[in-house]
Amino acid sequence: MIELRRLRYLVAVADEGHITRAAERLGIQQPPLTRQIRLLEEELGVTLFERLPRGVRATEAGRVVVEEARDVIARAERIKETAQRAARGEQGRLAVGYTSSAAFHPFVTQQIRAFRDARPGVILALAEDGTPELVSGLKEERLDAAFLRSASPDIAGLSLEPLLEEKMVVAVPVGHRLAGEGKVTLADLAGETFIFYRRPTGPGLYDAIMAACLAAGFSPTVGQEAPRMASTLSLVASGLGVAITPASMQRMNVEGVQFVRLRGTKGLVAPLLLATRKRDRSTLVDRFRREVTAAARALSEA
């Protein structure tokens, strides 16, 4: 194993063409430098320099070794720079997950874009899935962070950061009796057939909507359960029922669906959370968590 230090000595001597000048450049004495060059020659089994009356000159073998040494030194410098960038959270790979409803929240897309733009050396891997799958991905270290809508029952070992709370709206088919209303109450929806986001996929939203309807004096009739929020709106467009969704879902602009605001439902909101592992959290993940939570706090205080 050739020492990197000896390769640096080799290059310095080749550049200067003189042992004494090379020693001055390196900040060492001439005898130790001469000894290190001889040890390198013995290690390689070749003569690297011809001794001249006034200096030295690289042999043919020496010139080849010097060029290889330059490449090795350059790679070593790149390794050092890469390690330092990784330690500063500027390089590496970050796997971020999000639920289907969180994907439409502008805050989520803004934070992912801002983090990527500020760190071109970071590879961002994105994944959309249900809450249970995202939680499993975090625990199995396939994901580093995830935007969730609710806390999973199985969050041992994870840290949940509350970010924002979003208002809910009612999605109704075009032509529905409530489509022209500016605002409605939950009680206005009694007797309607509801389309719910499947509970195993989004337990938080499911339970919150169910509880709000019960508090409004009725038990909702669930006609369909959709595996994805986008599927929920497609079912609404087909006239199969109404759905209560986060307000950001209006950005989908699904043909055949009209959104109506809810009033009198102060406690019915769609939370946005950031989940990460409590342990084994890298500098890159910590930097992402700090920046996302700081942005959410600034937005809430604005």
Side-chain angles (χ1 to χ4, degrees):
M1 183 69 68
I2 300 174
E3 293 183 19
L4 185 62
R5 172 175 57 105
R6 286 181 182 166
L7 295 182
R8 295 186 190 279
Y9 291 168
L10 170 68
V11 170
V13 173
D15 288 345
E16 298 295 335
H18 200 281
I19 296 286
T20 302
R21 288 199 299 269
E24 291 174 355
R25 167 176 157 180
L26 293 166
I28 61 176
Q29 296 297 313
Q30 181 267 332
L33 177 57
T34 300
R35 184 165 58 253
Q36 291 298 320
I37 295 298
R38 285 177 179 168
L39 288 171
L40 182 58
E41 289 179 322
E42 291 175 7
E43 189 172 8
L44 296 175
V46 297
T47 299
L48 297 173
F49 294 103
E50 299 177 41
R51 275 63 180 178
L52 305 175
R54 293 186 178 181
V56 295
R57 179 174 59 200
T59 62
E60 184 175 352
R63 287 192 293 272
V64 172
V65 174
V66 167
E67 290 308 308
E68 290 290 339
R70 293 189 196 279
D71 289 341
V72 171
I73 292 169
R75 287 198 295 273
E77 289 298 326
R78 287 196 296 272
I79 290 171
K80 178 180 177 182
E81 181 182 352
T82 299
Q84 291 175 342
R85 286 172 60 84
R88 294 193 300 266
E90 297 174 358
Q91 189 149 341
R93 182 180 184 275
L94 185 71
V96 180
Y98 43 79
T99 64
S100 60
S101 63
F104 287 95
H105 198 300
F107 178 82
V108 174
T109 54
Q110 287 166 6
Q111 292 310 303
I112 291 174
R113 185 183 301 112
F115 198 81
R116 181 199 61 193
D117 291 347
R119 295 167 182 82
V122 173
I123 299 173
L124 271 173
L126 305 178
E128 178 185 326
D129 220 326
T131 299
E133 291 77 16
L134 294 175
V135 168
S136 296
L138 286 168
K139 291 188 173 186
E140 295 167 9
E141 300 187 12
R142 290 181 284 105
L143 294 175
D144 300 303
F147 291 95
L148 307 178
R149 283 298 195 177
S150 62
S152 167
D154 184 23
I155 60 169
L158 301 183
S159 175
L160 289 179
E161 305 274 358
L163 299 175
L164 301 169
E165 289 187 340
E166 184 180 1
K167 293 180 180 179
M168 304 287 275
V169 296
V170 184
V172 300
V174 169
H176 188 275
R177 64 182 180 87
L178 298 176
E181 299 293 328
K183 290 184 180 180
V184 298
T185 65
L186 277 177
D188 294 327
L189 302 176
E192 294 286 343
T193 298
F194 280 76
I195 299 168
F196 270 50
Y197 186 32
R198 193 162 59 90
R199 190 181 188 282
T201 307
L205 290 181
Y206 188 105
D207 292 346
I209 295 170
M210 186 66 72
C213 290
L214 292 174
F218 70 98
S219 178
T221 301
V222 181
Q224 299 278 341
E225 289 189 4
R228 292 286 184 270
M229 190 63 73
S231 304
T232 301
L233 296 183
S234 296
L235 293 173
V236 172
S238 299
L240 298 180
V242 302
I244 298 176
T245 72
S248 58
M249 296 304 296
Q250 297 175 82
R251 301 175 70 201
M252 286 190 64
N253 294 320
V254 177
E255 186 176 354
V257 175
Q258 190 162 336
F259 293 91
V260 183
R261 288 181 292 172
L262 278 169
R263 61 183 175 89
T265 55
K266 184 177 181 181
L268 183 58
V269 294
L272 184 65
L273 313 169
L274 181 68
T276 54
R277 286 185 297 279
K278 289 181 179 178
R279 295 183 180 178
D280 304 324
R281 194 156 55 193
S282 69
T283 302
L284 187 59
V285 178
D286 253 349
R287 184 68 60 86
F288 183 75
R289 180 186 60 83
R290 287 199 304 270
E291 292 186 8
V292 169
T293 54
R297 187 164 52 250
L299 195 59
S300 298
E301 295 172 352

